[in-house]
């Protein structure tokens, strides 16, 4: 049996966590997984609320969980949702991602299509802590 690549592992974790998404309004389930610099994997899903502004995307849920556990440096994130094209993060998630560096981001769909990019490509010229 061959060893799984980190992308395969991140994909499996994001797919598994995606099933826990709470999406009674959009029915658009998103899962994300995040690899920290020390090799730990964190995952999260989107959680909706009747007051839409209180909803939380999978990407921010995942990053905030990692930060709550003391992580600040990340190597890669994978985001997955159903659709023909790989899912892309919203602007708010891109800004939160940029806060923590220019790591690899894998955009995926539930059919296994995966595209690689970087935070800086998703949000060029981002406002960052360096600007303060």
């Amino acid at each position: 049996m061959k060893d799984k690549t980190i992308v395969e592992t991140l994909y499996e974790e994001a797919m598994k966590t995606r099933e826990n998404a709470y999406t009674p309004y959009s029915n658009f389930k998103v899962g994300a997984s995040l690899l920290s610099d020390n090799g730990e994997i964190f995952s999260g899903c989107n959680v909706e609320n009747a007051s839409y502004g209180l909803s939380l995307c999978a990407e921010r849920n995942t990053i905030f969980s990692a930060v709550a556990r003391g992580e600040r440096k990340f190597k890669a994130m994978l985001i997955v949702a159903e659709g023909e094209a790989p899912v892309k993060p919203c602007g708010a998630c891109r800004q939160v991602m940029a806060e923590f560096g220019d790591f690899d981001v894998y955009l995926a769909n539930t059919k296994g299509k995966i595209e690689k990019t970087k935070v800086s490509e998703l949000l060029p010229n981002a406002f960052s802590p360096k600007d303060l």
Side-chain angles (χ1 to χ4, degrees), residues 5 13 21-22 33-34 36 41 43 46 52 55-56 67 76 79 85 88-90 94 98 101 110 114 117 124:
T5 67
E13 287 297 315
Y22 179 73
S33 56
L34 180 67
S36 72
I41 295 177
S43 59
N46 54 326
Y52 296 142
S55 298
L56 185 60
V67 169
I79 308 156
K88 294 175 179 68
C90 73
R94 293 174 194 215
T110 56
I114 301 172
T117 188

Side-chain angles (χ1 to χ4, degrees), residues 23-43:
T23 60
Y25 308 102
S26 72
N27 201 30
F28 186 70
K29 294 181 175 197
V30 181
S33 56
L34 180 67
L35 176 65
S36 72
D37 269 6
N38 71 16
E40 192 167 352
I41 295 177
F42 299 87
S43 59

